Amino acid sequence: MTTALAPSSALSAADRCDRCGAQAYVRVTLTSGGELLFCAHHGREHSEKLRDIAITIHDETGRLEATPTVTVDDER
Ligand SMILES: [Zn+2]
């Protein structure tokens, strides 16, 4: 008895960018049936092209902004 993974299941720390090996925040399902994983940087870099070849783009880059690592307080 197995539970099928939902196609839109959340990305985990084990998912890695196909380009650089960083943690993946974007999952792209291609019209060909394949799947690509990108970090926030490469997801953004390829987003224009991906829109042409992807069925769905699952984007979790918003989670990055929700996790502040640096406090920027020198705006003046
Ligand atoms: Zn990357």
Side-chain angles (χ1 to χ4, degrees):
M1 196 163 96
T2 52
T3 307
L5 286 170
S8 61
S9 61
L11 292 160
S12 76
D15 291 311
R16 297 284 151 181
C17 173
D18 289 337
R19 289 299 173 112
C20 68
Q23 186 173 344
Y25 283 95
V26 180
R27 180 201 284 119
V28 181
T29 306
L30 304 173
T31 53
S32 62
E35 214 174 65
L36 294 173
L37 295 172
F38 291 112
C39 64
H41 172 82
H42 285 112
R44 205 175 299 126
E45 187 175 301
H46 297 292
S47 62
E48 302 247 326
K49 279 180 232 163
L50 291 173
R51 246 179 264 141
D52 294 335
I53 59 170
I55 303 173
T56 58
I57 298 177
H58 178 74
D59 188 335
E60 291 188 14
T61 54
R63 289 197 300 154
L64 286 172
E65 286 152 36
T67 313
T69 50
V70 181
T71 305
V72 180
D73 62 359
D74 58 350
E75 289 193 13
R76 36 197 305 244

